[in-house]
Amino acid sequence: MNSQYKTDLLDLKNASDKEYFALNKIINAVRYERQPDDPPIPLEETTNQLKNLPSFVDLKMWCIWNKDHSEMIAQGNVGLMRTEENKHLAQFDIIVHADYRRQGIGKQLLGLIAEAAKADNRRLLLTDTNDRIPAGEAFMQRLGAQRGLEGHVNQLRISDLDHNLIQDWLEQGQKNVSEFELGVWDGIYPQEQLQEIVALLDLTNQQPFGDLEVEEMHITPEQLVEMQKMDAARGNQRCTVYVIEKTSGKFAGYTETVWNANRPEILRQDMTGVFPQYRGKGLGRWLKAAMLDRQLKLHPEIKFVRTTNADTNAAMLRINNELGFKPYMTSILWQMEIGQVLEYLN
Ligand SMILES: CC(C)(COP(=O)(O)OP(=O)(O)OC[C@H]1O[C@@H](n2cnc3c(N)ncnc32)[C@H](O)[C@@H]1OP(=O)(O)O)[C@@H](O)C(=O)NCCC(=O)NCCS
């Protein structure tokens, strides 16, 4: 263990201004290494996000300070989700400032994370790495962690987008209007439909999960409301475009994006899904085209759209490749047994 530096457990909702400032600074230092062209996250966004963490997310975060306690040099956190599913899992993240790597600090934080997860009866740790900072993958390989799911963050440059293709897909989509109808929720979901909406969001379970030992997740209306509150507090503007089958009134699929005025040139594309009984009718293309058309008109500043896809997600990659998405960075999800981690640490 490296004990020359002071370690604190941060009170995330009630940290001091100095702690929030130092935390935001190290988050942005590592963000700059990973995405040098992107703007930094404003202090206010980080602070508001942490102060509004949902009650079902039990996040423990340790910080390591330099010798005169003026700069945070590392941060490690573990999320213990208080949900009905995945009680065996704990998700963690460690960042060490580039000037302080290879001194055992990452290992020290991993020890705190593994002990907290074990004390909470968790069995499996999950984290992700990317190829922009290869040290993350080196650390995981040293631990003997297993690659659970390999994917990429894919990016569409709007300057490369063929706007005629979007118009074609919208026209193709119009052929479905006798059977299906598009709709939009901007910002928060309608309160009176939350039960149907959480059933629609269950589509997230149909993405490939590779070798990850994870159970299906079913978000509850109460959890969704808390997630929306945190999103709003950090300035995330969510847009959902959905398709309804007219005869039954049932949701057939949806797509979601997040735009934030703190990084107006980047649109984050989240989940897109169509229930199996409605596939093969062009609804996925219709949803994506309607979303892009709408968001580009609403936010003409957007220059990039980014999305994370499993490399095995052939259906989604087909649509994204047609739109012109290209690999931006890798995204590997790793899993490891806590027993194995403790063995490595000892
Ligand atoms: C990954 C990261 C946290 C490692 O922090 P660190 O303080 O340098 O790690 P440590 O010094 O404790 O090293 C832990 C082990 O990984 C190995 N390791 C770390 N970086 C390595 C590298 N670049 N190449 C090869 N091995 C490396 C160390 O040799 C050590 O192995 P050992 O137990 O045999 O001595 C740091 O590089 C970082 O912040 N990266 C960006 C964020 C990230 O990718 N995090 C990983 C996901 S949680």
Side-chain angles (χ1 to χ4, degrees):
M1 278 248 175
N2 188 320
S3 54
Q4 59 174 319
Y5 301 111
K6 186 172 181 306
T7 307
D8 286 335
L9 179 66
L10 213 64
D11 179 352
L12 291 173
K13 295 202 177 186
N14 303 291
S16 67
D17 289 349
K18 177 185 171 183
E19 286 169 325
Y20 285 129
F21 179 85
L23 175 64
N24 189 60
K25 193 169 168 193
I26 186 174
I27 288 174
N28 278 318
V30 177
R31 177 180 167 84
Y32 182 72
E33 270 184 86
R34 201 177 54 221
Q35 295 145 254
D37 299 326
D38 288 0
I41 307 281
L43 172 61
E44 196 190 10
E45 183 178 341
T46 301
T47 308
N48 287 344
Q49 181 185 5
L50 293 174
K51 283 184 182 286
N52 287 280
L53 274 177
S55 58
F56 64 93
V57 180
D58 183 355
L59 188 70
K60 299 188 193 309
M61 186 183 286
W62 295 269
C63 300
I64 298 192
W65 298 84
N66 65 352
K67 283 184 189 138
D68 66 7
H69 210 268
S70 59
E71 301 273 352
M72 199 179 282
I73 58 172
Q75 177 269 117
N77 66 68
V78 61
L80 306 166
M81 304 290 274
R82 306 288 170 217
T83 52
E84 285 307 307
E85 308 95 356
N86 288 309
K87 291 185 171 162
H88 63 297
L89 289 185
Q91 224 163 324
F92 75 96
D93 192 32
I94 300 174
I95 54 176
V96 178
H97 192 283
D99 297 346
Y100 291 89
R101 289 184 192 152
R102 307 301 301 266
Q103 302 181 31
I105 295 175
K107 202 169 173 177
Q108 180 181 345
L109 285 165
L110 183 66
L112 295 167
I113 288 165
E115 288 299 342
K118 188 177 166 219
D120 202 49
N121 295 317
R122 309 281 162 152
R123 170 176 73 76
L124 200 66
L125 289 177
L126 295 187
T127 193
D128 68 294
T129 64
N130 59 77
D131 57 357
R132 298 286 176 98
I133 310 181
E137 181 165 341
F139 188 21
M140 289 305 114
Q141 278 175 344
R142 174 68 190 87
L143 284 179
Q146 183 197 356
R147 287 165 191 266
L149 183 67
E150 300 204 39
H152 279 83
V153 176
N154 292 308
Q155 173 172 272
L156 170 66
R157 285 176 174 272
I158 297 305
S159 56
D160 295 343
L161 177 66
D162 176 0
H163 293 267
N164 293 327
L165 182 71
I166 299 295
Q167 291 313 313
D168 282 354
W169 286 7
L170 288 174
E171 280 166 29
Q172 291 292 324
Q174 283 304 314
K175 293 184 181 154
N176 287 308
V177 290
S178 58
E179 268 187 276
F180 297 99
E181 181 175 285
L182 283 187
V184 180
W185 298 309
D186 247 327
I188 58 166
Y189 300 108
Q191 184 67 29
E192 65 285 0
Q193 276 178 290
L194 286 183
Q195 206 63 54
E196 293 95 320
I197 291 168
V198 293
L200 176 63
L201 301 188
D202 272 352
L203 271 170
T204 51
N205 292 309
Q206 302 209 1
Q207 303 173 82
F209 284 95
D211 294 323
L212 290 175
E213 292 174 42
V214 295
E215 297 162 5
E216 288 197 356
M217 283 293 289
H218 304 284
I219 192 165
T220 66
E222 295 74 24
Q223 289 165 351
L224 192 58
V225 168
E226 287 200 66
M227 294 289 291
Q228 290 189 122
K229 186 169 163 254
M230 180 179 70
D231 260 344
R234 62 181 295 193
N236 278 350
Q237 295 181 29
R238 181 169 292 275
C239 175
T240 312
V241 178
Y242 57 86
V243 188
I244 281 187
E245 184 185 35
K246 285 179 169 174
T247 47
S248 64
K250 285 187 176 157
F251 287 116
Y254 77 106
T255 187
E256 289 194 313
T257 56
V258 172
W259 182 83
N260 191 311
N262 293 332
R263 37 198 169 276
E265 295 185 349
I266 305 164
L267 180 70
R268 194 179 92 201
Q269 168 74 61
D270 283 358
M271 177 67 195
T272 302
V274 173
F275 285 110
Q277 63 270 35
Y278 302 112
R279 290 185 190 157
K281 294 173 185 282
L283 298 182
R285 286 197 181 93
W286 195 23
L287 284 165
K288 293 281 286 227
M291 174 64 88
L292 272 177
D293 188 51
R294 188 173 194 284
Q295 292 305 90
L296 294 178
K297 282 179 183 145
L298 206 60
H299 304 293
E301 317 92 301
I302 294 170
K303 289 193 182 149
F304 309 100
V305 186
R306 292 210 195 122
T307 190
T308 307
N309 306 113
D311 290 345
T312 52
N313 194 343
M316 197 70 257
L317 287 173
R318 169 104 187 255
I319 295 180
N320 288 346
N321 290 343
E322 285 170 352
L323 283 167
F325 278 85
K326 304 255 163 38
Y328 173 75
M329 64 180 171
T330 62
S331 166
I332 303 179
L333 272 165
W334 302 82
Q335 65 187 2
M336 62 220 86
E337 298 282 340
I338 289 177
Q340 176 194 348
V341 172
L342 293 172
E343 212 169 285
Y344 156 72
L345 292 167
N346 294 326

